[in-house]
Structure formats: C-alpha cells, structure tokens
Amino acid sequence: MLSRRLLRVKVMQTVYGHFRGGDSSLQQAEKELFHSISKSHELYHLLLLLILDVRDLAEKRIEIGLNKKRPTYEDLHPNRKFINNKVIQQLRENKQLLKYVETTGLSWKNNEQYIKDVYKHILDSDLYQHYMLSDDDSYEADRKFVAKLYEKVIGQYLPLYALFKEESIFWNDEAEFVVSIVVKTLKEFKEENGEEQALQKEFKDEEDREFVKTLFRKTILNNQDYQALIRKFSRNWDLERVAYLDIVLMQIAIAEFLEFPKIPVKVTLNEYIEIAKHYSTPKSGTFINGILDKVITHLKKENQLEKVVDRE
C-alpha cells in the first residue's frame, strides 16, 4: 500500500528511535517497524469507514425530518442522492473491508462527534452542493464525487488530522499521504467489480516487504562502517553539530546504494534529499547531497556499486 518513499520514512523513524532509545534489540525494533506500517494500513481502512458513517448520519437526518410533527416541504421531499451514492454502497459491501473490520473491530464508535463535524463540513462545501443539484446519477459521476470529496473536502479538514495525532503516534506525519491512497483507491473503483473490488494491501508485493526488512537490518548491522564512511567525507563538518537525523538518513542511503542493485543511484540520492528537506533542517538536503556525492564516487572507485540499472 505504502509508496517506497513512505517505506523509507518508516525505516528512518525506526532507525532513529532505535539508536536514540538504545534499549531495544534489532528484533524488537524490526517488530516496531512493521507495526508502524500496519498502523498506516489501519488508518487507510478507518478513512474508508468514515464516508460510510457520514452517509448513515445523513440518512438518519432524513428520517428525523420525515417523522417531525410538522415537517416542511423539504423534510417530506428529501434529496437522497448522497445516501444512494452507488460507490459508497459498493464500499459498504466490499468483502475486503468487511473482513478487515470483522478481524480488527475497527470503527468510529468512540469518535462520533467527528462524524457529525465532518458531515457538516461536507454539507457546507460547494462540491456537495453541486453534486446534490446535478441530474447525473451515473456510477461514474458518483465515483468522481466520492474521490473528490476525500481529496478536496475531507482531506482538507484539519481537525481530523488533530484527532489522528491524538489516536496514534504512528499517524503523526502520514495522515495526508494515506488520504491520497484512499483517493487513488476510489478512482480505481469499477461498477462491474461489485463487492470484489480490490483495496490496497499492506505491501504492494513481497518485494516491498523484503525491501523494508533488508534496508532496516543492513542499516543497523553496518552502522559503524557507514558512520566511518560518512566521517571520512565530512572532514570540513563538525558531525557533533550536524542534525543526527541527517546522519541516519545518509546511513540508510548508503545501505540502499549497496544492497539494491536494481535501484538507480540517482533515485536513491534524490529520495533521501527530499526526505531530508521535509523531516530535517532547511540546509539538510544540500549537506546530504554533498556528502553522499563523495560517498558514491568512492564506492564506484572501489567497485562496490554493482548496479544492474543506473539511469544517471
């Protein structure tokens, strides 16, 4: 489910915690790494469940209106377009989602106020208003609406991100990305797939799982060798004053250079520069780029980089 970049971030966070904490074994740290990835998958399902609960709340509001002692014309003639949305109904019947919920017990039961708040936020949006007034009741129109609803409305509702931070330390930095995965999922929905529509798996494939495991283990096990290499090419820098996260990122990058011949050097270099820009200091990207360039030159000279594919 997670992109390679987010998998790298997960490795970075776990390696950093392992060396800074100092108490956990390699096996314990690796277990935490995979638990962190599993929590991202959980958040993905929680976000999918959100629209189902919002839809049910909308239906309850319609029923309340119909049962008023003095209902208005609008109460008696409700617009059911949203609660009849074909994609939301398809999601409700999805076998993978139902199985996940049955196995984990995942729900919004303890945060029902957020369902009400998100529903109000949706009602106030232009996207919802235009959808409800549209005469297009096709499956394609319903699919586009739900995908845009997550992207433009739900995904922009900041109180939701505050909730995720409170609920799990593993959701602090990735909720926005997981929303994008939900959007991607919904864009791939097809009417003919019905309840069998595929959802995102925890890992795209076994190769991604092995990528995470190898990258993490090699970084930990070769920690001293990688740090020595970094020190060798940072003589003009006082490493004690360099952000420790930058050193961790360079160690992981070196592990990736050496252990994954199918990943081009340039791809690895760019990935860790971008991660540094987002997670470390403003100057980290430039610093990491300068040091890793020297490391790459050295590894090539020593014939230690055996790249099958390199698009440099």
Side-chain angles (χ1 to χ4, degrees), residues 106-164:
L106 189 67
S107 78
W108 283 87
K109 185 169 60 176
N110 295 328
N111 290 293
E112 292 182 352
Q113 184 58 49
Y114 280 88
I115 300 299
K116 296 175 183 178
D117 294 343
V118 170
Y119 177 54
K120 184 180 184 304
H121 186 60
I122 290 172
L123 290 180
D124 293 339
S125 69
D126 290 339
L127 180 67
Y128 177 84
Q129 298 297 331
H130 292 155
Y131 171 74
M132 296 300 280
L133 293 173
S134 172
D135 294 329
D136 189 349
D137 62 351
S138 66
Y139 177 89
E140 181 65 13
D142 283 356
R143 185 185 61 77
K144 286 182 177 180
F145 166 71
V146 178
K148 284 186 178 179
L149 193 64
Y150 271 99
E151 183 179 9
K152 304 294 185 182
V153 181
I154 296 174
Q156 305 300 319
Y157 187 57
L158 297 182
L160 209 53
Y161 293 91
L163 170 67
F164 295 149

Side-chain angles (χ1 to χ4, degrees), residues 60-113:
K60 287 178 184 176
R61 296 287 174 87
I62 288 175
E63 293 302 319
I64 290 171
L66 290 170
N67 291 313
K68 285 181 180 177
K69 289 184 178 180
R70 294 182 179 179
T72 64
Y73 177 85
E74 287 76 15
D75 290 330
L76 295 173
H77 301 84
N79 187 338
R80 297 178 180 271
K81 187 176 177 67
F82 177 64
I83 67 170
N84 290 337
N85 182 284
K86 300 175 184 65
V87 173
I88 296 177
Q89 184 58 36
Q90 184 182 7
L91 183 62
R92 181 182 297 283
E93 297 169 354
N94 185 272
K95 286 186 176 181
Q96 282 182 244
L97 183 59
L98 289 172
K99 183 178 180 180
Y100 188 91
V101 171
E102 181 183 0
T103 302
T104 63
L106 189 67
S107 78
W108 283 87
K109 185 169 60 176
N110 295 328
N111 290 293
E112 292 182 352
Q113 184 58 49

Side-chain angles (χ1 to χ4, degrees), residues 229-239 287 291:
L229 197 55
I230 292 167
R231 288 184 181 278
K232 180 177 181 178
F233 295 105
S234 50
R235 290 170 182 164
N236 296 327
W237 295 82
D238 181 1
L239 286 189
F287 170 69
I291 301 300

Side-chain angles (χ1 to χ4, degrees), residues 11 32-34 56 71 77 107-108 111-112 156 173-174 184 201 238 241 261 274 291:
V11 171
E32 182 175 326
L33 169 61
F34 281 92
D56 290 348
H77 301 84
S107 78
W108 283 87
N111 290 293
E112 292 182 352
Q156 305 300 319
D173 300 313
E174 63 195 51
K184 180 177 182 292
K201 297 182 291 185
D238 181 1
R241 301 182 65 181
E274 289 304 313
I291 301 300

Side-chain angles (χ1 to χ4, degrees), residues 1-13 33 36-38 40-41 44 173-174 176-182 184-185 200-205 207-213 215 256 263 267 271-272 274-275 278-279:
M1 181 192 86
L2 304 184
S3 71
R4 281 288 177 95
R5 176 169 295 179
L6 193 53
L7 291 176
R8 289 178 174 102
V9 169
K10 292 286 189 182
V11 171
M12 172 199 75
Q13 291 168 337
L33 169 61
S36 172
I37 293 169
S38 178
S40 296
H41 202 221
Y44 167 76
D173 300 313
E174 63 195 51
E176 188 175 353
F177 177 82
V178 178
V179 169
S180 72
I181 297 297
V182 170
K184 180 177 182 292
T185 297
Q200 294 287 331
K201 297 182 291 185
E202 192 164 295
F203 288 95
K204 183 180 68 175
D205 49 34
E207 186 177 333
D208 268 10
R209 180 184 289 274
E210 287 302 313
F211 170 77
V212 169
K213 182 186 291 187
L215 188 61
E256 189 168 319
I263 301 177
V267 169
E271 282 294 300
Y272 290 98
E274 289 304 313
I275 292 171
H278 185 77
Y279 288 92

